[in-house]
C-alpha cells in the first residue's frame, strides 16, 4: 500500500515493522503450512526462520510473528539476499502461481478492509447485516504517539486509507479488492453489494471514482 512509518530507519517496512498477530489457531496453522514452503528465493531470512523460529508465544500459545532487524521476520528488505523487497509470502505465491491472499496471514490480506456484523431484531425475527468499512488508523490506536512502545499500537506517519490520495486508482475499490471481498463476504454477499453500489452511483462509496 506504499505506507511510510516515520519512526523506522527504513521506509520499506511500513506496517510490517510490527509483525503479524495471529487471529486464531486456524490462522496460525495456515501460516505454519505456508512457512514450510518458503525457500531462499522467497525470503531473506530462511536460515533464521528454520534454525531459531519465526513466532512468539504467550503462555505456550503462538501469538505473533517474530521481529528481526526491526521488522517482521518475513519482510524482505531493499538490497536483501532474496533480491525481492516486500512480503516473503507474497513472493512465494507469485513464484508458485497462487493468489497472495491465499498465502498470507489473515491480518495482512484483509487490511485495510474491515468487515463487521450487526444483528437487528424486529418482532420475532432477526436479521444479520454485514458492515464493510475501511480500517482507519485510529481504529487500532495508530494515531496515539504515546503508545510507541506497545507493539500493537503506535503512530504511523502515513496509513493507506486516511488521506485522499489513497483513492486515486482508476478502478473502484469493490473491483480492485474483489478477491479479498469475495473471501471475506462470500460470493453471494459480494454480488449483492456490487448490485447496490452500481445502483447508487449518485452516492459513491469511498474509493469509487465517478
Amino acid at each position: 500500500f506504499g505506507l511510510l512509518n516515520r519512526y523506522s530507519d527504513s521506509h520499506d517496512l511500513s506496517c510490517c515493522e510490527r509483525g503479524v498477530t495471529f487471529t486464531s489457531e486456524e490462522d496460525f496453522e495456515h501460516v505454519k503450512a505456508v512457512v514450510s514452503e518458503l525457500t531462499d528465493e522467497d525470503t531473506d531470512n530462511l536460515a533464521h526462520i528454520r534454525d531459531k523460529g519465526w513466532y512468539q508465544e504467550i503462555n505456550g500459545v503462538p501469538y505473533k510473528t517474530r521481529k528481526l532487524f526491526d521488522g517482521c521476520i518475513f519482510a524482505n528488505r531493499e538490497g536483501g539476499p532474496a533480491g525481492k523487497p516486500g512480503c516473503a509470502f507474497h513472493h512465494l505465491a507469485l513464484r508458485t502461481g497462487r493468489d497472495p491472499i491465499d498465502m498470507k496471514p489473515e491480518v495482512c490480506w484483509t487490511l485495510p478492509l474491515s468487515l463487521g456484523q450487526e444483528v437487528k431484531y424486529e418482532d420475532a425475527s432477526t436479521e444479520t447485516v454485514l458492515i464493510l468499512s475501511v480500517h482507519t488508523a485510529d481504529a487500532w490506536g495508530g494515531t496515539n504517539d504515546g503508545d510507541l512502545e506497545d507493539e500493537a499500537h503506535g503512530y504511523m506517519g502515513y496509513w493507506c486509507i486516511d488521506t485522499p490520495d489513497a483513492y486515486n486508482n482508476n478502478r473502484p475499490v469493490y473491483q480492485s479488492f474483489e478477491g479479498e471481498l469475495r473471501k471475506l463476504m462470500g460470493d453471494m454477499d459480494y454480488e449483492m453489494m456490487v448490485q447496490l453500489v452500481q445502483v447508487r452511483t449518485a452516492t459513491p462509496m469511498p474509493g469509487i471514482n465517478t
Side-chain angles (χ1 to χ4, degrees), residues 163-188:
T163 57
D165 54 346
Y167 303 103
N168 59 12
N169 200 326
N170 59 5
R171 299 178 64 206
V173 169
Y174 77 91
Q175 293 177 355
S176 60
F177 276 83
E178 180 177 352
E180 289 88 344
L181 289 168
R182 284 185 181 275
K183 189 169 183 176
L184 273 173
M185 306 172 67
D187 291 333
M188 184 176 69

Side-chain angles (χ1 to χ4, degrees), residues 13 16-20 22 31 35 38 42-56 64-77 86-89:
L13 278 175
C16 297
E17 180 189 36
R18 305 180 186 283
V20 182
F22 308 120
V31 177
V35 169
L38 290 173
D42 312 307
T43 176
D44 289 343
N45 306 310
L46 188 65
H48 197 109
I49 291 167
R50 297 283 185 256
D51 298 340
K52 299 183 179 180
W54 54 272
Y55 60 88
Q56 295 175 276
K64 64 177 294 185
T65 61
R66 289 183 59 192
K67 292 173 61 176
L68 185 65
F69 307 125
D70 297 321
C72 176
I73 195 170
F74 300 108
N76 295 347
R77 310 300 289 275
C87 176
F89 299 135

Side-chain angles (χ1 to χ4, degrees), residues 30 33-43 84 87-104:
H30 166 73
V34 176
V35 169
S36 69
E37 296 187 47
L38 290 173
T39 71
D40 285 320
E41 292 184 66
D42 312 307
T43 176
K84 300 175 181 177
C87 176
F89 299 135
H90 193 104
H91 294 305
L92 170 61
L94 297 181
R95 179 173 63 82
T96 58
R98 288 176 281 185
D99 192 324
I101 68 174
D102 293 328
M103 308 297 286
K104 295 183 179 184

Side-chain angles (χ1 to χ4, degrees), residues 40-208:
D40 285 320
E41 292 184 66
D42 312 307
T43 176
D44 289 343
N45 306 310
L46 188 65
H48 197 109
I49 291 167
R50 297 283 185 256
D51 298 340
K52 299 183 179 180
W54 54 272
Y55 60 88
Q56 295 175 276
E57 296 179 334
I58 293 181
N59 297 324
V61 178
Y63 164 59
K64 64 177 294 185
T65 61
R66 289 183 59 192
K67 292 173 61 176
L68 185 65
F69 307 125
D70 297 321
C72 176
I73 195 170
F74 300 108
N76 295 347
R77 310 300 289 275
E78 294 178 359
K84 300 175 181 177
C87 176
F89 299 135
H90 193 104
H91 294 305
L92 170 61
L94 297 181
R95 179 173 63 82
T96 58
R98 288 176 281 185
D99 192 324
I101 68 174
D102 293 328
M103 308 297 286
K104 295 183 179 184
E106 184 173 338
V107 167
C108 300
W109 69 263
T110 55
L111 286 175
L113 302 172
S114 177
L115 186 68
Q117 293 185 350
E118 179 179 300
V119 179
K120 294 186 175 182
Y121 300 92
E122 186 172 343
D123 297 329
S125 63
T126 61
E127 180 183 23
T128 300
V129 179
L130 293 179
I131 302 173
L132 178 66
S133 60
V134 292
H135 200 86
T136 58
D138 58 2
W140 55 273
T143 56
N144 188 347
D145 284 344
D147 284 340
L148 293 177
E149 299 303 318
D150 183 346
E151 290 195 359
H153 300 82
Y155 187 89
M156 282 190 188
Y158 178 70
W159 181 245
C160 54
I161 45 74
D162 285 342
T163 57
D165 54 346
Y167 303 103
N168 59 12
N169 200 326
N170 59 5
R171 299 178 64 206
V173 169
Y174 77 91
Q175 293 177 355
S176 60
F177 276 83
E178 180 177 352
E180 289 88 344
L181 289 168
R182 284 185 181 275
K183 189 169 183 176
L184 273 173
M185 306 172 67
D187 291 333
M188 184 176 69
D189 288 330
Y190 174 79
E191 297 291 348
M192 291 177 61
M193 182 192 70
V194 170
Q195 292 178 16
L196 291 171
V197 170
Q198 291 175 342
V199 168
R200 294 174 60 88
T201 53
T203 309
M205 294 171 60
I208 297 179

